[in-house]
Amino acid sequence: MTTPQRATPDRVWTVAEAKARLSEILRLAEEQGPQRIGARKPFVVVPEHVWRERVEPRKPLGQWLVENMPRGIELELPSRHEPDRRIPFVDDDEETA
């Protein structure tokens, strides 16, 4: 009979071990960090809160831009009420059509 191997940070679980010891892998993912399963087709098990931190934006882009805009720079913005104001991102041919 083989002795169960202890989890180490660099350990890669075989798929058979992962099937047999899923509860342990989930516990270790929470306590020690990501658990790797498989060598030919590798997978990583992480707690949901870790996954969400990486895939979901923390704040809306507009809010991030306002909070991180350069300070101390004065920008000249054209008036929105000028009659000849060019509309950005529109071809000049489309404006007259």
Side-chain angles (χ1 to χ4, degrees), residues 45-57:
V45 176
V46 295
E48 183 176 6
H49 70 89
V50 173
W51 176 256
R52 288 193 182 281
E53 288 173 1
R54 294 183 184 225
V55 297
E56 292 182 358

Side-chain angles (χ1 to χ4, degrees), residues 78-85:
S79 169
R80 292 180 174 247
H81 305 290
E82 291 178 19
D84 329 346
R85 182 174 174 256

